Amino acid sequence: MKKLTVLFFAAFFVQASMAQSMEKTVEVGGAAMYPSKNIIQNAVNSSDHTTLVAAVKAAGLVETLQGTGPFTVFAPTNEAFAKLPAGTVDNLLKPENKALLIKILTYHVVAGKWDAKSLMTKIKEGKGIAALTTVSGGILKATVKKGKIVLTDEKGGMATVSIKDVFQSNGVIHVIDSVVLPE
């Protein structure tokens, strides 16, 4: 019986590993992003998103982004955060700035699963501009420049989608090259 139990668990893990290896993945930050995993389960493996993951943890948004969603996350890279004025990220991670951090992070999230094709359709329907209402209640404007989706924030800052359609079990991530900021 003991051998049968061990054999059963071994077969289960092999089958799970094979199923995961058969998924269509996108590499982000040196790690495969699995469509069967949620946003947080994938993001923690990206070496390009350690600042974003730390910010999500400091803001207490891990549980939310592990939820069923669906969510569309415009995920700034470490380099995107590095473009902010010196000390900004450290300041935002302080407990007394949690409300502002939450506002900024949820400004990067749109309810629903907006892949690049549906964003392009919305941009076309809007005659070149799609207004996306973020979870924070702000507006991001999406346009297309040189074949890439570009976001313009409420302060006039711009971010380009560098990796699109990173599908998750609870939504989709689009990697962006700058942090977008609400008013």
Side-chain angles (χ1 to χ4, degrees):
M1 184 65 161
K2 190 175 183 180
K3 286 182 181 180
L4 187 59
T5 302
V6 169
L7 186 59
F8 170 77
F9 281 113
F12 174 79
F13 288 117
V14 167
Q15 182 180 10
S17 294
M18 287 177 62
Q20 198 172 56
S21 68
M22 293 173 65
E23 289 184 77
K24 184 175 183 197
T25 62
V26 175
E27 187 172 307
V28 177
M33 301 289 117
Y34 292 94
S36 62
K37 292 184 176 185
N38 68 46
I39 290 165
I40 297 298
Q41 290 170 326
N42 275 318
V44 298
N45 294 316
S46 169
S47 62
D48 289 344
H49 291 90
T50 56
T51 304
L52 178 61
V53 169
V56 166
K57 288 177 180 177
L61 294 173
V62 170
E63 191 173 309
T64 300
L65 292 174
Q66 286 179 328
T68 55
F71 306 106
T72 299
V73 176
F74 296 101
T77 61
N78 296 337
E79 288 181 8
F81 280 101
K83 291 180 184 178
L84 295 171
T88 301
V89 173
D90 290 335
N91 197 39
L92 285 170
L93 294 177
K94 293 178 180 174
E96 61 267 23
N97 294 322
K98 185 175 179 178
L100 178 58
L101 180 61
I102 290 170
K103 183 177 179 181
I104 291 170
L105 292 175
T106 57
Y107 189 66
H108 288 80
V109 181
V110 176
K113 191 172 188 176
W114 290 91
D115 63 8
K117 183 179 178 181
S118 52
L119 285 170
M120 292 291 227
T121 299
K122 189 167 175 75
I123 291 166
K124 188 175 182 178
E125 289 170 355
K127 298 182 179 14
I129 290 184
L132 307 173
T133 302
T134 68
V135 171
S136 72
I139 301 293
L140 279 172
K141 292 180 183 171
T143 56
V144 177
K145 290 194 169 86
K146 297 182 182 179
K148 293 196 174 213
I149 296 171
V150 176
L151 304 175
T152 302
D153 65 27
E154 294 172 333
K155 294 186 176 210
M158 298 171 75
T160 301
V161 173
S162 57
I163 302 174
K164 64 183 180 183
D165 294 343
V166 185
F167 293 105
Q168 318 288 300
S169 65
N170 60 345
V172 61
I173 291 174
H174 302 288
V175 177
I176 57 175
D177 65 355
S178 295
V179 176
V180 289
L181 298 170
E183 200 52 57

